[in-house]
Amino acid sequence: MEGTKLTYSLVVLACFVAFIPTLNAQEHDDEAYWKERALIAYNHTLSAYKPYPHLVTAHTNEAVHRMLKASANDTRRSLRGHKYKGPCITTNPIDNCWRCNRKWADNRFRLADCGIGFGKPAIGGKGGPIYVVTDPSDDDMINPRPGTIRHAVIQTGRLWIIFAHDMTIRLQQELIMTSDKTIDGRGARVHIAYGAGITVQYINNVIIHGIRVHDIVRGSGGMIRNSVDHFGFRTESDGDGISIFGSTNVWIDHVSMSKCSDGLIDAIEGSTGITISNSHFTDHNDVMLLGASNSQVKDKFMQVTLAFNHFGKRLIQRMPRVRFGFVHVVNNDYTHWNMYAIGGSQGPTIISQGNRFIAPINDRLKEITKREYAKEPEWRSWNWRSEGDLMMNGAYFVESGDPASIDKFERDFNLVKAAKGIEVPMITKFAGVLECLPGKKC
C-alpha cells in the first residue's frame, strides 16, 4: 500500500513539474499579447482625443437647448412629481432621438445615432448581426456556450446583443468584451448581478444600454477567454460594475447601478471618448473613478461626458473622482452625497454646467468639490468651473482656474451655454433603465 502511494505521488509530482514550463510559456504569450493590445489601444486613444474639447461640450449644450425649446410648458407641468404614468414624453436629446417610436424594436440600430458628448462616435454593433442571448448561465470561461452573453461578447466584428427574455446573469468571472459591440437590454429585464462585472479592456466602439448592474463581487481569476482566438490567465478582478481600461469610444446609457465591491464605473489607463448618460446610481461609496494612478500621464488624453444622470440615494463620494483629463459634467441631478460629489487630483479640467446639487443636512458636507493631494497654491490653477448650476440646501462649488475660460471660448466660437440647473429634474426624469416593450413606446 505504501509503495502504491509513493508511486502515485511521484506520478503527480512528475505531471506538475512537466506542467510548469507550459504555465511559463502561457504567461509569456499572454504578456506579449496584452502588450500588443495596449499599443493598438493607445493609438486609438490618440485618434479619439479632441484637441478642442469645448466644441464637444457646446454641441451637447446646443442639443439640449433645441430639445427644451421644442417642449411645451404643459409638457413640463405634467412631469412634476415623482412618478409619471402618462403617454411617452422625452426630456433630453438622446431620448428624443428614439424613445417614443413604438417600432423601436424593429430598428434597434437607431439608438447608435443618438449619442452625444465625447462618446458620440460610439456606434457599437450597428450594421452587424443581432445576437439573441437565450441562456443566463455562465459556467465555462474558456469555451462559453452559444446563447450566453459570454459567447456573444467574444465574437469577432460588429454585433448587436439583445435578450430573449428577462434574466439575471451571475458572471463567474469578469465578462471581457471585444470591440464593436452593443449590449442592448431593451425589451427584457436584464440584471448582471451577484457575480463579477463587465470589463472593457483595450477595445474600441462599445455601447452598453438598458441593463441593471448591481451586487458585483470580485472574480477569483483564472483562465478566461477574451476573444474567439485567445484565452489566458487573469488575476482577481476588482469588483467594478463596469471597468473601462485603455478603451475608446464607449457610451453607457440608461443603466441602473448599485452595490459593487469596488467602483460602479471606472475609466482608467488612457481611456477616452466616453459618455455616461441617462443613468441612475444608488447605494454605493466610490461611485465613479476617472483615472486611477497619479503616474499614469496618458490619462491626460481622457475626455468624458457625464450627462442627464441621477446620483441618488445612499451615495457617498466620487461622482466622479478625476485624475488628469477633461470632464464635462452637464445637467445631472445630485440629490445625495455623504462626503463630496466631485473630486480630483493631478490637475484635471472639470466643467460643471447646469447641474442641480442638493447638499446633505450636515453643515460639514455642503461643499460639492474636493481636491486631493494638493495644497491650495497648486490647485488654484486647476480649471474647475461652475456655470448655471443650481445650488440647494447650502451646496457650494469651489471654483479654480481662469474664471473667464468658459465665456471666452463660448464667445470666440459663438457657442451655446448649457441649460440651467433648474431644468434638471425634467431632463433627468427618466434616468435609469426604461421599461420597454416591443410594439410600444418606451
Side-chain angles (χ1 to χ4, degrees):
M1 189 63 160
E2 290 179 359
T4 302
K5 288 182 179 179
L6 179 61
T7 301
Y8 176 77
S9 298
L10 289 172
V11 170
V12 171
L13 179 62
C15 290
F16 180 74
V17 170
F19 189 58
I20 289 175
T22 304
L23 282 176
N24 290 338
Q26 177 72 47
E27 290 175 1
H28 177 75
D29 290 345
D30 280 350
E31 184 178 1
Y33 172 84
W34 288 110
K35 280 185 176 180
E36 181 180 1
R37 289 283 301 276
L39 181 59
I40 294 170
Y42 185 57
N43 287 329
H44 280 302
T45 293
L46 297 178
S47 298
Y49 177 75
K50 307 298 184 186
Y52 298 105
H54 286 286
L55 294 178
V56 178
T57 68
H59 182 272
T60 300
N61 296 341
E62 184 178 4
V64 175
H65 273 288
R66 286 199 305 268
M67 175 73 208
L68 292 177
K69 188 176 181 179
S71 70
N73 288 332
D74 57 347
T75 297
R76 301 187 189 194
R77 284 194 294 271
S78 70
L79 290 171
R80 292 173 182 169
H82 292 293
K83 293 184 179 180
Y84 175 76
K85 296 183 179 180
C88 183
I89 294 175
T90 59
T91 60
N92 64 62
I94 294 174
D95 286 358
N96 192 53
C97 179
W98 71 271
R99 247 192 69 203
C100 289
N101 183 344
R102 62 171 48 89
K103 294 184 178 181
W104 62 265
D106 297 328
N107 185 15
R108 287 179 178 267
F109 293 165
R110 172 63 179 168
L111 176 67
D113 301 329
C114 301
I116 62 168
F118 291 108
K120 181 178 173 59
I123 61 170
K126 181 183 178 181
I130 290 179
Y131 186 113
V132 183
V133 175
T134 57
D135 183 350
S137 69
D138 186 44
D139 51 17
D140 193 331
M141 304 300 103
I142 299 178
N143 296 298
R145 185 182 300 117
T148 63
I149 191 170
R150 191 173 296 276
H151 184 265
V153 300
I154 64 169
Q155 300 305 306
T156 302
R158 292 184 179 180
L159 202 64
W160 197 281
I161 301 164
I162 66 174
F163 300 83
H165 49 77
D166 297 354
M167 61 181 70
T168 297
I169 300 172
R170 182 176 181 176
L171 297 171
Q172 299 303 309
Q173 302 287 355
E174 59 183 320
L175 184 73
I176 308 174
M177 297 185 65
T178 54
S179 294
D180 306 315
K181 300 294 180 292
T182 297
I183 296 178
D184 180 2
R186 290 175 297 174
R189 293 184 177 182
V190 180
H191 296 254
I192 306 294
Y194 313 114
I198 299 171
T199 297
V200 180
Q201 182 174 4
Y202 294 146
I203 62 175
N204 175 60
N205 187 30
V206 170
I207 298 174
I208 299 175
H209 178 97
I211 62 174
R212 296 169 172 87
V213 182
H214 58 92
D215 295 282
I216 299 301
V217 300
R218 295 175 182 271
S220 60
M223 302 300 284
I224 304 174
R225 184 171 293 280
N226 64 283
S227 67
V228 292
D229 54 8
H230 182 268
F231 66 88
F233 182 79
R234 302 283 292 189
T235 58
E236 180 184 58
S237 59
D238 290 337
D240 295 325
I242 301 174
S243 174
I244 306 170
F245 190 106
S247 294
T248 52
N249 298 329
V250 178
W251 179 24
I252 299 171
D253 187 53
H254 276 297
V255 301
S256 296
M257 302 184 72
S258 63
K259 299 179 182 178
C260 297
S261 295
D262 195 8
L264 295 184
I265 300 175
D266 282 9
I268 63 174
E269 295 290 319
S271 295
T272 195
I274 299 168
T275 293
I276 301 168
S277 56
N278 286 314
S279 294
H280 189 203
F281 307 105
T282 62
D283 298 283
H284 201 73
N285 180 8
D286 297 331
V287 178
M288 195 179 297
L289 180 65
L290 306 179
S293 171
N294 290 344
S295 63
Q296 190 51 270
V297 294
K298 63 184 177 183
D299 281 330
K300 290 181 179 179
F301 295 105
M302 178 175 61
Q303 295 174 323
V304 179
T305 301
L306 301 182
F308 323 143
N309 302 293
H310 181 194
F311 294 91
K313 294 180 178 179
R314 295 172 293 277
L315 297 180
I316 308 297
Q317 60 179 324
R318 296 187 177 183
M319 301 172 235
R321 193 263 193 238
V322 188
R323 288 181 174 89
F324 304 107
F326 184 108
V327 180
H328 187 208
V329 184
V330 59
N331 297 145
N332 300 279
D333 203 5
Y334 288 85
T335 58
H336 297 79
W337 68 83
N338 202 34
M339 285 180 65
Y340 66 90
I342 298 172
S345 61
Q346 300 303 114
T349 296
I350 299 175
I351 306 300
S352 175
Q353 293 185 303
N355 301 285
R356 181 173 75 158
F357 295 100
I358 304 176
I361 295 174
N362 190 328
D363 287 339
R364 295 177 298 176
L365 302 175
K366 303 295 186 183
E367 185 178 347
I368 296 162
T369 50
K370 182 182 180 182
R371 277 84 168 173
E372 297 187 294
Y373 309 114
K375 295 182 179 179
E376 185 169 344
E378 179 184 348
W379 62 252
R380 275 295 172 191
S381 65
W382 301 355
N383 204 20
W384 292 25
R385 309 307 306 168
S386 170
E387 180 185 72
D389 290 326
L390 177 61
M391 314 292 187
M392 300 179 66
N393 201 31
Y396 65 97
F397 188 110
V398 177
E399 295 186 281
S400 57
D402 181 2
S405 60
I406 298 177
D407 289 338
K408 182 178 183 299
F409 208 92
E410 288 172 346
R411 184 178 64 252
D412 290 350
F413 288 90
N414 193 27
L415 303 180
V416 177
K417 293 181 181 292
K420 293 188 180 298
I422 196 171
E423 304 281 5
V424 160
M426 183 189 72
I427 292 171
T428 63
K429 184 72 176 180
F430 303 104
V433 174
L434 299 166
E435 297 294 333
C436 294
L437 296 174
K440 296 184 178 181
K441 299 175 181 180
C442 283

